[in-house]
Amino acid sequence: MKKYVVFLLVLAAGTTGYFMKSEEETMGEYALADRLKVPSAEEISENPYIYRYNHELCKEKGLLKGGGRGRLSYRYLCMQAVYRANLDAYLLEMLDLKRLDEELRNCSLGFACPKPEDQNLYERESTMGLEYIFLRNNLYIEYLKKGQLSILEQHLETGDETVTDELKDLVKETYQEVIRVRNSVDQEDPGRFCYAGTKGGRPEIPSHALVLEIANAMEYDRAGNLLPNDRMREKCEYLEKVKTRKEKEYSEILGMEVYLLIE
């Protein structure tokens, strides 16, 4: 059986397609819009990995704002949010993420999660409902087939629930392609991808890896000075043990290698 690689990070363009309405027609029409965690166009454009989206494919499928070579459309962001919610739900069913999150929360070492104003885009988008763990992958839904995109949009327009068995089945069949980071020059390049913003440098992760992140926030006093922490070494050693244990366990469950990185 072909194996894929999954990583657990400790701390994650033209003409409109035949099945799509114009952006102006769909703004506000989505029944689920107010239940979704949809990032703003500004947040997406500030993402350092925006260039990894396939704008030509987005253009072909009518997923760019105004149908040109500009930003991802509101339609794209809403469908991406639905996809993320169902991928989050699928991972919660398959992996003991809730138990691991509880383990970190109850640990005597006293791990701190980031304040809302300090959370990154992936933490804010997460629908897992966990304090420390969230999906770190970008989701490139332009690689879905047109029929699959239609299912997402139809659910947006008429659905009563954000997460459904039908959508989780779609995610299960497609997420390995949706999370894969492509080389803009060579789409079939099976190389590695740098994840910035994690302690210990910029780890290079295989481009087809599933990436989860565990946030471990530093603590500061009112003056902004880092609080002394005699147990920092103990925390790092503890997380390294969690990393080794969960990488092996999650790899076996999903049929993919898993890594844990620290935010």
Side-chain angles (χ1 to χ4, degrees):
M1 183 179 76
K2 185 177 180 180
K3 289 191 174 181
Y4 294 83
V5 182
V6 177
F7 283 75
L8 177 59
L9 296 195
V10 187
L11 294 159
T15 55
T16 304
Y18 70 91
F19 59 98
M20 298 292 189
K21 297 180 181 180
S22 70
E23 178 121 305
E24 291 72 18
E25 290 176 314
T26 55
M27 291 291 286
E29 282 192 13
Y30 293 141
L32 292 180
D34 59 348
R35 304 185 200 176
L36 298 172
K37 294 188 176 182
V38 183
S40 68
E42 289 71 23
E43 287 177 306
I44 291 296
S45 64
E46 291 170 1
N47 185 329
Y49 307 123
I50 187 65
Y51 68 91
R52 293 289 185 170
Y53 289 95
N54 188 329
H55 284 72
E56 288 302 316
L57 193 55
C58 287
K59 178 181 178 181
E60 177 186 324
K61 296 182 178 180
L63 298 172
L64 292 186
K65 185 175 182 180
R69 293 183 57 82
R71 294 175 173 177
L72 299 174
S73 67
Y74 175 75
R75 179 187 304 114
Y76 183 107
L77 298 178
C78 284
M79 290 192 292
Q80 184 187 57
V82 171
Y83 194 97
R84 181 176 292 275
N86 283 272
L87 180 51
D88 281 354
Y90 172 73
L91 294 174
L92 286 171
E93 290 179 0
M94 296 297 294
L95 309 174
D96 67 344
L97 299 176
K98 288 184 178 179
R99 181 181 299 177
L100 178 57
D101 196 73
E102 183 177 355
E103 178 184 325
L104 293 169
R105 185 170 61 252
N106 296 330
C107 180
S108 61
L109 292 173
F111 292 102
C113 56
K115 298 177 181 179
E117 62 268 23
D118 296 326
Q119 292 180 342
N120 63 36
L121 175 65
Y122 304 95
E123 289 172 278
R124 295 193 299 271
E125 285 185 346
S126 178
T127 62
M128 288 184 176
L130 306 178
E131 290 188 28
Y132 300 93
I133 305 169
F134 52 93
L135 182 65
R136 181 61 174 77
N137 293 92
N138 285 329
L139 302 179
Y140 305 100
I141 63 168
E142 63 268 29
Y143 291 98
L144 293 173
K145 296 176 181 178
K146 289 185 176 181
Q148 294 166 335
L149 289 170
S150 291
I151 292 173
L152 288 176
E153 186 163 41
Q154 182 179 18
H155 189 75
L156 271 172
E157 293 178 341
T158 62
D160 295 322
E161 300 294 334
T162 305
V163 176
T164 69
D165 290 339
E166 178 188 18
L167 291 177
K168 282 189 293 183
D169 287 343
L170 186 153
V171 161
K172 181 179 179 181
E173 295 173 2
T174 60
Y175 79 95
Q176 290 177 355
E177 285 300 306
V178 169
I179 66 172
R180 186 160 70 88
V181 184
R182 272 84 167 177
N183 183 322
S184 57
V185 177
D186 181 1
Q187 293 287 310
E188 299 305 318
D189 178 12
R192 303 172 75 83
F193 184 63
C194 283
Y195 281 84
T198 56
K199 294 180 178 66
R202 291 167 53 88
E204 290 191 359
I205 306 301
S207 60
H208 55 277
L210 176 73
V211 179
L212 299 169
E213 187 167 328
I214 299 180
N216 174 31
M218 293 295 198
E219 297 182 84
Y220 300 84
D221 62 21
R222 291 183 179 180
N225 300 311
L226 186 64
L227 292 174
N229 192 339
D230 297 334
R231 307 184 76 176
M232 183 57 69
R233 176 175 294 181
E234 289 182 69
K235 286 184 177 182
C236 291
E237 291 175 351
Y238 177 90
L239 289 175
E240 282 300 316
K241 290 180 181 179
V242 170
K243 168 184 168 70
T244 301
R245 172 166 51 94
K246 290 302 179 183
E247 284 179 348
K248 183 177 186 298
E249 178 184 331
Y250 293 168
S251 295
E252 291 175 351
I253 291 172
L254 295 176
M256 309 165 76
E257 291 182 70
V258 178
Y259 283 70
L260 287 78
L261 301 183
I262 303 172
E263 180 182 302

